[in-house]
Amino acid sequence: MSFIELWHSGAPLYQAGLIGVAAFGAAAFVLLFFVSAPYGRHHRPGWGPAISARWGWVVMEAPSFIGFAALIIVCNPAAWAWCVGALFLLHYLYRAFIFPFRMKGGGKPKPLLTVLLAVVFNCVNGAANGYDLSRVEDPVWGLVGLGVVVFALGVAINHHSDAVLLSLRGPGETGYKIPHGGLYRLVSAPNYLGEIIQWTGFAIAAATPAAALFAVFTVCNLMPRAYSHHQWYQQNFSDYPSARKRLIPWIW
């Protein structure tokens, strides 16, 4: 079944969900260049009740894992789809149930509003990707192989960049420092670059509307966030490397 056929043959709820994700992504891309999402280093009062960042991560990321797993188990796709789906599941297994307990500063507040918005997105995105992947009967093996390689590259960049950030703080430290090493020599947010590459790889391997839209949404969400990070570093560190770009090495 082709990319277009997957869209047209999808259930109305699936189509409505993807249209909602597209609208959400477009709005977020524009808005987040003007208003930084109020969590992490950009946290500020005035955004309503909050929960700890650690439990916020668990609550908002778990629906992607659960929704995707539920749909792909119910639909019981071909073996290749299980293998590609494992990439999605392993990422969210880490993001929802491992990363929150490794992060430093997990007790910092995270606005409940941002958590709830992420829960809605992740419920739709996880279920739609599981549903779509289970309906592909004849994969293009060259794209599957290329996608897996690109996904692995993104994961390596993402995890190495996260490891650099985790190493910056000693026991009991809560402040921020300038990260160095790896792709931090070139950009302010290589972890975001890695995640964009990662989901681009998944979209290539899956070749479904839901996966393609997820990759685009990732750009819409993380590109403005990288912009905000870069500005924040420049405003808070007078010795911040001037040659370092925001997200794309040597370009932006």
Side-chain angles (χ1 to χ4, degrees), residues 210-235:
L213 183 57
F214 184 26
V216 173
F217 182 92
T218 301
V219 174
C220 290
N221 183 39
L222 296 185
M223 193 172 182
R225 187 73 174 173
Y227 176 81
S228 296
H229 272 21
H230 188 74
Q231 281 192 316
W232 184 91
Y233 277 123
Q234 289 180 323
Q235 291 167 0

Side-chain angles (χ1 to χ4, degrees), residues 53-55 57-59 61-62 65 89-104 106 159 162 166:
R54 177 170 290 111
W55 289 107
W57 272 97
V58 173
V59 170
E61 300 286 19
F65 180 88
L89 290 172
L90 287 172
H91 170 85
Y92 279 105
L93 177 66
Y94 174 77
R95 280 297 180 194
F97 306 113
I98 298 174
F99 173 75
F101 301 99
R102 293 185 64 207
M103 66 188 299
K104 296 176 181 179
H159 281 256
D162 278 351
L166 289 171

Side-chain angles (χ1 to χ4, degrees), residues 166-203:
L166 289 171
S167 69
L168 289 177
R169 292 175 178 163
E173 291 184 333
T174 59
Y176 289 93
K177 302 176 183 178
I178 300 175
H180 295 280
L183 281 177
Y184 281 106
R185 291 172 295 177
L186 302 175
V187 295
S188 294
N191 49 339
Y192 294 161
L193 175 62
E195 192 148 344
I196 289 170
I197 292 172
Q198 176 181 329
W199 294 119
T200 299
F202 180 77

